[in-house]
Amino acid sequence: MRVFKFGGASVRDAESVKNAVQIAREEGSGPLLIVVSAMGKTTNAMERVLFEVLKNRKNARAIFKQILDDHLEIINALFDSEVQIHNEIESLSEQVYEIIDNGNTAKPDYLYDQLVPYGELLSTKIFSEYLRSQKIDNQWFDAREIIKTDYQYKSANVDWKRTEIQVVNTIAQFLNNSASPVAVTQGFIAGADALNPTTLGREGSDYSASIFAYALKAQSVTIWKDVPGVLNADPKNFKETTLLNHISYKEAIELAYYGASVIHPKTIQPLQNKKIPLYVRSFKNFSEPGTLIDSSNSNDDTVPSFIIRTDQRLVSISTRDFSFIVEDHLSDIFEEFARFRVKINMMQNSAINFSVSIDENSFQLNELIEELSKRYQILYNKGLELLTIRHFNDEIFKKLTSNRKILLEQKTRSTLRVLMK
């Protein structure tokens, strides 16, 4: 039993859907669960719908109408005359319009999880029907009914016991007893209960695939990307990159934590717990082997890796009377970061300062700073870059930081991090 995950780029248009289905046909022998993201940039567009709903609802319908038209264009390119898929899409769109018109704007995070998941529901309905039209019988499952979570909207925590029961009673039962064992479901979305859908955090579809694999005791997970595999650097930032053919779970977790965008940070742990190998492969060249991630660490330090996080803000927090930053202060500060759900990318403290690097687009960053300013003195710098080098050496460090002003620096046995402008 295997799990395939196709991200938004791999199903962004009709030709991409056809390519993904070809991959499923040629590479997916045996029982197969296919986890599919929203098409292209649909999640971004659904977030714009949410923004308009929260503002005054005025333009929300028009924005969703464009999203719907884009999906209908893909449907028309994939199908000759499929009444069933049009009925399915119409039913989903009616549900969206109902939320747009009557959703509870007093609870933005709750409304987010009610509305934004429809991108995944639309894409998987189309994907499932197209598989069927290509003589690949399959069963569509609603992940909101299977992956069970708590009620922390927008970043829900998985209830593993309830989830395993649901997976075994639905997807596993189908795959184990079907003559055509192919199942299709969504990434990113889940549910606390029947009336309260949740999401697993932005870009959480990889995590969904690992959750399903964990509960299914899958043989492997394959994430299909628009890159050859896990590279030692982002090709958008570095001209020369190297494919990491084989790395350990630990190395993958480190790279994901520091900001490597190819894998969601939460993806690895469920797989590591059950020693399920993860493959990252290219949907553009699916004859290539890609990257294997498993328990072996023999190749981890052979190639240095470089990760850049842009749009960083350095925030320095100090007491107003310039007394020491002590444990009580740090406890209070961390509590506020947790309350506003602002992630710290790097931190450092001195006698009177606690400094952190934060993504500029953090959802409630300004609200956090406003709250902390009531009790502390706050200074910050904007427009910075956070560079992380795994398995560094002095030559590489000097080359990548020459002519740059370093505001913060940290070094461990294998990792060097600098915040610079």
Side-chain angles (χ1 to χ4, degrees), residues 22 36 43 57 67 74 88 102 113 132 159 164 181 184 188 196 235 245 292 296 301 332 339 358 365 367 414 420:
Q22 184 182 356
V36 183
T43 300
R57 302 185 196 264
I67 296 171
I74 292 172
E88 297 275 8
N102 300 301
D113 287 359
R132 198 166 287 116
D159 183 326
E164 284 192 85
V184 175
F188 173 59
N196 291 281
N245 302 100
L292 168 61
S296 174
D301 60 358
D332 176 48
R339 184 162 72 92
I358 307 166
L365 175 55
E367 291 88 341
S414 59
M420 55 191 183

Side-chain angles (χ1 to χ4, degrees), residues 64 67-68 71 89 92 118-126:
F64 179 70
I67 296 171
L68 185 59
H71 284 76
I89 299 304
L92 290 174
Y118 277 88
E120 277 70 21
L121 298 173
L122 289 167
S123 68
T124 52
K125 283 291 186 182
I126 294 170

Side-chain angles (χ1 to χ4, degrees), residues 316-323 325 333 352-354 372 375-379:
S316 295
I317 306 165
S318 60
T319 56
R320 294 190 180 279
D321 61 0
F322 292 100
S323 60
I325 285 279
I333 291 167
I352 60 174
N353 283 311
F354 177 67
L372 289 172
R375 305 187 293 284
Y376 303 96
Q377 179 175 316
I378 309 294
L379 299 174

Side-chain angles (χ1 to χ4, degrees), residues 17-32:
V17 172
K18 292 177 182 179
N19 182 67
V21 168
Q22 184 182 356
I23 291 172
R25 185 189 300 279
E26 296 186 16
E27 300 286 330
S29 59
L32 179 66

Side-chain angles (χ1 to χ4, degrees), residues 293-317:
I293 301 170
D294 61 14
S295 57
S296 174
N297 63 2
S298 58
N299 298 308
D300 284 355
D301 60 358
T302 56
V303 179
S305 293
F306 318 111
I307 301 162
I308 290 181
R309 298 184 79 114
T310 59
D311 295 324
Q312 295 296 293
R313 185 187 295 196
L314 173 61
V315 180
S316 295
I317 306 165

Side-chain angles (χ1 to χ4, degrees), residues 304 306 389 391-401:
F306 318 111
I389 309 174
H391 315 297
F392 64 93
N393 58 52
D394 290 339
E395 181 183 353
I396 290 173
F397 171 65
K398 290 177 182 178
K399 181 180 179 181
L400 294 179
T401 59

Side-chain angles (χ1 to χ4, degrees), residues 153-171:
Y153 299 108
K154 285 191 73 178
S155 185
N157 298 297
V158 176
D159 183 326
W160 290 95
K161 186 174 182 180
R162 290 169 63 205
T163 297
E164 284 192 85
I165 292 171
Q166 288 297 103
V167 171
V168 168
N169 290 339
T170 55
I171 295 175

